[in-house]
Amino acid sequence: IVAEIEKKITEAFEVFDRESNKTVDVRFIGSIIRSLGCFPNEAEVQELLEQIEVEEPGGFIHLDQFLPVMTKVLLERRFWPIPEDVLLHAFEALDENKCGYITKEDLVKHLTEE
Amino acid sequence: AFKAAVLIQQWYRRYMARLEMRRRCTWRIFQSIEYACEQDQIKLHNFFSYLMDQFTPSSSKERDFISRMFVSGESYKEAELEKYCDYESIEVPDSYTGPHLSFPLLPHHATALLEAFKQKQQLHARYVLNLLHETRKHLKQLPNISHVSTCYSEEVTVCGDLHGQLDDLFLIFYKNGLPSPSKSYVFNGDFVDRGKQSLEILIILFTFLLIYPKEVHLNRGNHEDHMVNLRYGFTKEVMQKYTVHGKKILRMLQNVFCWLPLATLIDQKVLIIHGGISDTTDLDMLEKIQRDKFVSVLRMKKRKESSRKPELQAINGESKSETDAAGNEAAPRLSLQPQSAQAPSTANRLEFSRWLRQTVQEQIDTCRRLVDISESEPEELTYSSMVTLKDVDEPCWTRQEEWKQILDILWSDPMPQEGCRENKVRGGGCYFGPDVTEKFLEKYNLQFLIRSHECKQEGYEFCHNRKVLTIFSASNYYEIGSNRGAYVKLGPDLVPHFVQYQANKTAHMLTMTQRQGIPVALISRVEESAFRALREKLFAHTSALISAFKAYDRDNTGRITLSNWATAVESVLRLGLPWRMLRPQLVRSTEDGMLEYKSWLDDLAMEQRSQEHIQSSLLEVIYRNRSNLETIFRIIDRDHSGLISFEEFQQTWKLFSSHMNIELTDDGINDLVRSIDFNKDGNIDFNEFLEAFRLVKQCP
């Protein structure tokens, strides 16, 4: 099973690997993690990055560093999907006027204020 | 409330990430299928080799048929060309409402043409031929490498592949302005094929070339080659638009293409070529070779040898013959022109194949020696590289080396790894690494290279430390929304400025809203198209897939794990795609993580619904080899009528099926023909036949 997980991670990684040299821009790590089925928030992504120990200032992550960390994440089922009803509650909590939607500005406000 | 917001953000980010992944996967699918298609050229070569080496014809008809396959069609001396493709005798009727051209061309002719093409009008054949004649006259005077200076025209605009997409050319002119004394343009090849308005693009480009010869520069691309045009649609386009004079136009075009310059140099600092370079690219050689001798880069040309032995008389009395250095590994296509009088009688099959083999071998051997200089066209002996010559009468390089120079320039691709290796994917040219680029730039004191040849999502892309720039001007190349096109402007500082665009209203809106979020509908559409193509490919390899799956299913349960599925599929298709990522789109239902592969393959087959009654293994073969079959049909159809006789059709099938080791009886072929129901007067419209198996190209 571990081998299969590793293959999956490698595949996702390679899709973002522009020059086929086993590195991706650090900005894409979040996307890769998410397309593997996880739902981390930004803080959690940062934590993971710290674990991976980015060395180069250029901001590239190598597959060899990413693989073990990510494999653990998948095995431990961290950042697992949020059930839909919970998501619905979240929307309802922010939608004070009960109009069925929230605006981007509202969301930004809630995220930036404490 | 904060927690709620974070939750939503998490979900949203995940959604965006998935979209991005889907977009990239779709891109990969299109790209890998496109390049896999180019491998078909190699298969075609193998087929011809098979015919040479292993197949023995069973009748004189068969022998003639095969011989004809290798006769490439008449080649003309210049005077004969002018006579055959003459335009003056062609009358333009009063009923013609399109634009009229008179020579020398003036700016108002260009604007008239642009307007006419916008109104979907067609230029009369007489003017087309006239234009081609004048273009050829002009191109002949140009050197192999054009020189452009930014001090004359301040800025130079460089455009990449257009591939018959006229809307993109209109967009470029709209955004950047028409060519003029103050607006220089370089068009870097691949004007034709794939798109449906290749001819219109050529007409416009040639017109501007003649009106503003100092400001407009054209480079030859790998698609400016009639052998490639046979496969990729340009030949068909011309014959459909010009039913009466199409053949003449195609002949003239062959001649015009070979006179296109090979490269452009800006300020002696920036080199523009269509494909790339190799570790043997030599600008001095490139400047000196006679580029018109290479009508098609896919076959090597050789000049007549006065001292040739009688058995080698493989020339149809003309000054050009076509042979191929079969020893050379990159993109050769075996061809020869046997004189029918020389072919032995069919009574002795062995003799036939021996004769065939012998003739080919002799031609190969001759190629390997240095070319003789024929009396009529003495080569110049003023090359600087001649210093090392021992024998003054011979040039210091072979025709073979010249051919490789051109092949590399037109077909190579950059790669991230160092070194230089054969480009087996395309079947021609090299993959060249950053070290090759570095050495080359240093050797000739250049700043960077501009090339095209590869589709890029943003229309342009740097690589090799920004020393190589790829510029691609055909937007929506694979599908609407697949990519943008771009052009690059260079001023005296030689700093590139890019302009991107997308020729389609909905796709245009896409780029505007890309910041906010990619419209899912558009991604879905492109994705749908990609997956349809992929499913077709999977179907085409059904038998191979079943074998591969069975290898993982020793107990014959009919099921395999998804992990093994991915490995098996890659081993068969070899497309280098992320199958585990793509799986949800390709495999609908699984039980406990296992797939019932037989029913999955049956479902795939169901999608190719229209051809139910045809034996499925036959269908597979057709799908897999459609592109090659089409090329072979076109080669046989020498008068470009789109029709071949039923007998020729049968013959082709017989040969092909014996090569592919398929059982196909005469009844089988008849069934095939009948089921498609297109047989007209004993002739077969092979376009219709192939259309029946073509991927349905939507684009409402």
Side-chain angles (χ1 to χ4, degrees):
Chain A
I1 300 204
V2 175
E4 183 56 17
I5 290 183
E6 287 187 342
K7 279 197 202 142
K8 233 183 151 180
I9 298 173
T10 308
E11 261 190 12
F13 192 89
E14 280 171 357
V15 173
F16 285 87
D17 178 5
R18 296 212 95 187
E19 297 180 13
S20 308
N21 55 1
K22 303 234 162 116
T23 62
V24 299
D25 191 319
V26 69
R27 292 175 289 159
F28 292 131
I29 288 291
S31 297
I32 298 177
I33 299 176
R34 290 176 173 113
S35 41
L36 284 165
C38 302
F39 284 73
N41 57 39
E42 279 312 290
E44 288 164 335
V45 175
Q46 283 309 309
E47 261 182 60
L48 267 182
L49 279 174
E50 275 160 35
Q51 279 187 37
I52 298 174
E53 294 168 14
V54 184
E55 290 158 359
E56 298 148 72
F60 283 92
I61 307 263
H62 198 280
L63 178 61
D64 295 338
Q65 296 160 318
F66 181 67
L67 196 57
V69 178
M70 193 63 214
T71 309
K72 246 185 111 202
V73 166
L74 286 181
L75 283 173
E76 293 172 6
R77 300 187 150 226
R78 264 195 273 167
F79 317 132
W80 221 233
I82 307 153
E84 279 173 21
D85 49 350
V86 175
L87 185 67
L88 194 55
H89 279 317
F91 269 101
E92 285 170 356
L94 295 183
D95 181 14
E96 292 150 356
N97 306 329
K98 306 281 173 222
C99 40
Y101 62 85
I102 55 175
T103 66
K104 198 172 97 159
E105 290 77 28
D106 281 343
L107 191 62
V108 171
K109 210 172 56 154
H110 283 111
L111 282 173
T112 48
E113 295 168 7
E114 237 307 5
Chain B
F2 178 68
K3 274 183 81 174
V6 170
L7 218 58
I8 296 175
Q9 185 198 46
Q10 266 172 279
W11 191 279
Y12 177 71
R13 293 269 165 112
R14 144 84 178 178
Y15 171 76
M16 292 305 289
R18 273 191 65 218
L19 269 186
E20 180 63 21
M21 174 62 84
R22 280 166 69 188
R23 195 173 67 82
R24 283 170 185 252
C25 282
T26 304
W27 181 260
R28 286 287 213 91
I29 294 176
F30 276 128
Q31 234 185 358
S32 60
I33 290 185
E34 176 184 19
Y35 294 150
C37 203
E38 291 178 343
Q39 278 176 344
D40 274 353
Q41 302 271 49
I42 301 177
K43 276 203 240 165
L44 195 60
H45 165 66
N46 291 340
F47 175 54
F48 286 128
S49 303
Y50 162 77
L51 285 181
M52 296 257 193
D53 297 335
Q54 293 159 43
F55 190 80
T56 47
S58 53
S59 69
S60 62
K61 274 206 183 132
E62 223 167 36
R63 170 188 57 95
D64 282 340
F65 183 69
I66 297 182
S67 305
R68 275 202 309 128
M69 253 203 235
F70 295 114
V71 175
S72 73
E74 319 94 86
S75 31
Y76 290 88
K77 283 211 188 91
E78 231 170 81
E80 291 182 16
L81 187 73
E82 302 241 338
K83 216 179 90 186
Y84 172 70
C85 299
D86 126 85
Y87 52 88
E88 286 178 13
S89 58
I90 304 179
E91 284 216 10
V92 182
D94 292 331
S95 54
Y96 170 72
T97 53
H100 296 263
L101 296 184
S102 59
F103 292 81
L105 289 173
L106 295 167
H108 72 85
H109 290 121
T111 35
L113 279 172
L114 287 170
E115 197 44 52
F117 290 150
K118 286 203 177 111
Q119 311 291 335
K120 314 273 185 217
Q121 291 180 324
Q122 192 167 296
L123 184 64
H124 196 275
R126 179 205 170 102
Y127 298 131
V128 176
L129 287 168
N130 201 350
L131 176 64
L132 293 178
H133 275 273
E134 295 298 317
T135 305
R136 188 171 68 94
K137 264 199 269 179
H138 171 78
L139 289 175
K140 279 176 78 169
Q141 309 162 28
L142 299 179
N144 293 347
I145 303 184
S146 309
H147 289 261
V148 179
S149 170
T150 51
C151 59
Y152 288 140
S153 51
E154 289 145 27
E155 252 185 351
V156 180
T157 306
V158 183
C159 300
D161 293 25
L162 285 167
H163 280 301
Q165 299 189 186
L166 188 58
D167 285 341
D168 284 311
L169 186 58
F170 283 154
L171 243 186
I172 296 175
F173 285 159
Y174 175 70
K175 289 169 95 79
N176 198 48
L178 297 178
S180 71
S182 56
K183 196 153 291 255
S184 286
Y185 273 93
V186 178
F187 291 95
N188 199 12
D190 276 12
F191 319 120
V192 303
D193 277 332
R194 300 197 211 262
K196 303 264 182 270
Q197 290 163 297
S198 303
L199 201 47
E200 283 78 5
I201 289 192
L202 283 184
I203 293 172
I204 294 176
L205 292 182
F206 291 158
T207 302
F208 276 118
L209 177 72
L210 295 177
I211 299 175
Y212 301 112
K214 286 230 257 319
E215 287 79 24
V216 176
H217 306 270
L218 306 179
N219 281 348
R220 188 175 184 183
N222 63 306
H223 279 260
E224 274 69 57
D225 181 327
H226 72 279
M227 285 308 298
V228 180
N229 298 152
L230 276 175
R231 178 189 288 275
Y232 289 103
F234 181 47
T235 309
K236 187 162 128 179
E237 179 189 326
V238 173
M239 291 312 298
Q240 279 176 349
K241 288 180 177 167
Y242 293 92
T243 45
V244 180
H245 299 287
K247 233 181 120 184
K248 286 186 190 176
I249 296 178
L250 286 171
R251 286 270 175 266
M252 274 306 297
L253 276 168
Q254 271 188 41
N255 232 264
V256 171
F257 283 163
C258 69
W259 276 112
L260 284 169
L262 300 170
T264 301
L265 196 56
I266 302 186
D267 288 350
Q268 304 289 340
K269 286 282 163 210
V270 180
L271 184 68
I272 309 178
I273 58 243
H274 175 74
I277 56 174
S278 75
D279 52 0
T280 56
T281 298
D282 181 343
L283 286 184
D284 300 311
M285 200 193 294
L286 274 171
E287 268 183 333
K288 274 129 189 173
I289 58 188
Q290 293 177 287
R291 65 182 191 269
D292 64 304
K293 298 297 177 222
F294 300 91
V295 174
S296 170
V297 189
L298 289 182
R299 294 183 187 203
M300 220 184 78
K301 276 204 172 271
K302 200 165 71 84
R303 272 185 291 159
K304 174 181 185 168
E305 285 186 25
S306 37
S307 58
R308 191 174 295 175
K309 297 179 267 184
E311 305 100 275
L312 279 182
Q313 227 177 63
I315 309 161
N316 274 346
E318 290 301 329
S319 58
K320 295 175 187 161
S321 77
E322 299 182 67
T323 60
D324 163 311
N328 189 321
E329 287 177 279
R333 182 175 307 194
L334 226 42
S335 66
L336 58 132
Q337 290 182 355
Q339 263 200 339
S340 36
Q342 295 264 314
S345 69
T346 39
N348 194 333
R349 297 178 200 171
L350 245 76
E351 225 172 71
F352 172 74
S353 43
R354 209 185 299 140
W355 162 78
L356 209 52
R357 217 170 302 148
Q358 184 188 45
T359 320
V360 171
Q361 192 53 45
E362 276 163 341
Q363 300 217 333
I364 293 172
D365 287 343
T366 324
C367 274
R368 295 218 178 99
R369 292 183 258 127
L370 291 176
V371 172
D372 284 347
I373 301 172
S374 85
E375 315 93 74
S376 51
E377 299 170 62
E379 294 206 326
E380 293 171 5
L381 297 178
T382 52
Y383 311 148
S384 50
S385 39
M386 285 285 197
V387 185
T388 54
L389 260 198
K390 293 168 197 169
D391 188 337
V392 189
D393 283 330
E394 293 169 347
C396 58
W397 52 67
T398 61
R399 191 60 91 199
Q400 205 172 324
E401 286 171 317
E402 293 181 352
W403 171 70
K404 182 176 193 292
Q405 290 287 325
I406 299 189
L407 190 67
D408 287 340
I409 292 276
L410 298 185
W411 284 80
S412 300
D413 288 314
M415 65 174 174
Q417 300 83 13
E418 304 218 320
C420 185
R421 54 187 172 87
E422 242 175 82
N423 192 330
K424 289 220 161 82
V425 172
R426 291 199 194 255
C430 300
Y431 282 121
F432 61 100
D435 52 330
V436 178
T437 302
E438 195 59 48
K439 255 194 235 152
F440 183 80
L441 293 176
E442 217 186 282
K443 177 172 179 190
Y444 294 107
N445 204 359
L446 300 171
Q447 270 181 29
F448 61 96
L449 299 177
I450 301 182
R451 42 90 64 177
S452 305
H453 200 38
E454 281 181 300
C455 183
K456 295 295 176 192
Q457 201 137 24
E458 295 298 314
Y460 72 95
E461 194 175 270
F462 279 106
C463 65
H464 292 190
N465 243 314
R466 293 184 80 92
K467 295 288 175 64
V468 175
L469 168 64
T470 303
I471 187 87
F472 194 83
S473 301
S475 67
N476 306 320
Y477 181 59
Y478 293 123
E479 171 61 80
I480 296 187
S482 67
N483 66 290
R484 291 151 118 173
Y487 55 86
V488 59
K489 298 166 77 83
L490 293 172
D493 56 0
L494 297 181
V495 171
H497 295 278
F498 300 95
V499 178
Q500 296 165 296
Y501 52 84
Q502 210 149 0
N504 180 287
K505 290 219 177 65
T506 47
H508 190 62
M509 288 193 320
L510 163 65
T511 61
M512 301 240 273
T513 58
Q514 219 157 13
R515 306 274 155 155
Q516 276 92 341
I518 308 154
V520 187
L522 210 51
I523 292 204
S524 299
R525 251 185 109 259
V526 187
E527 207 181 23
E528 224 181 271
S529 177
F531 278 102
R532 209 176 313 136
L534 198 52
R535 280 196 286 268
E536 195 196 77
K537 269 239 171 274
L538 286 167
F539 168 73
H541 290 86
T542 304
S543 335
L545 283 171
I546 292 191
S547 319
F549 292 150
K550 285 215 169 109
Y552 287 103
D553 178 27
R554 294 296 161 82
D555 303 332
N556 232 329
T557 61
R559 287 144 45 98
I560 51 168
T561 66
L562 291 172
S563 167
N564 290 334
W565 171 84
T567 319
V569 171
E570 177 57 27
S571 71
V572 170
L573 289 194
R574 294 189 182 282
L575 288 174
L577 290 174
W579 295 103
R580 290 167 186 85
M581 289 282 125
L582 302 175
R583 207 240 328 131
Q585 300 269 28
L586 292 171
V587 175
R588 300 293 162 168
S589 56
T590 59
E591 277 176 40
D592 328 312
M594 303 276 282
L595 167 68
E596 295 206 8
Y597 52 86
K598 284 236 177 75
S599 53
W600 176 66
L601 286 169
D602 284 340
D603 285 342
L604 274 181
M606 285 279 278
E607 284 169 29
Q608 322 301 328
R609 212 178 310 244
S610 55
Q611 320 302 338
E612 277 163 350
H613 35 283
I614 301 179
Q615 180 193 354
S616 66
S617 58
L618 182 57
L619 258 189
E620 242 191 275
V621 172
I622 296 177
Y623 267 102
R624 230 190 350 249
N625 297 285
R626 185 179 56 218
S627 155
N628 277 342
L629 278 173
E630 175 168 2
T631 307
I632 296 176
F633 285 146
R634 281 196 200 291
I635 294 177
I636 293 173
D637 173 30
R638 283 158 70 216
D639 57 5
H640 298 301
S641 58
L643 302 172
I644 55 177
S645 75
F646 181 63
E647 255 188 85
E648 287 170 329
F649 183 77
Q650 253 186 331
Q651 297 273 28
T652 309
W653 265 109
K654 278 228 178 103
L655 292 176
F656 205 72
S657 54
S658 101
H659 171 55
M660 305 295 293
N661 275 322
I662 323 159
E663 288 290 314
L664 193 59
T665 59
D666 279 349
D667 279 344
I669 302 182
N670 289 336
D671 278 343
L672 192 62
V673 167
R674 223 175 296 129
S675 64
I676 313 289
D677 184 37
F678 52 74
N679 202 343
K680 307 169 188 165
D681 318 322
N683 280 318
I684 293 182
D685 182 332
F686 60 81
N687 281 319
E688 271 196 48
F689 170 69
L690 291 166
E691 276 308 315
F693 298 98
R694 190 175 294 278
L695 184 67
V696 174
K697 241 321 151 110
Q698 58 330 66
C699 284

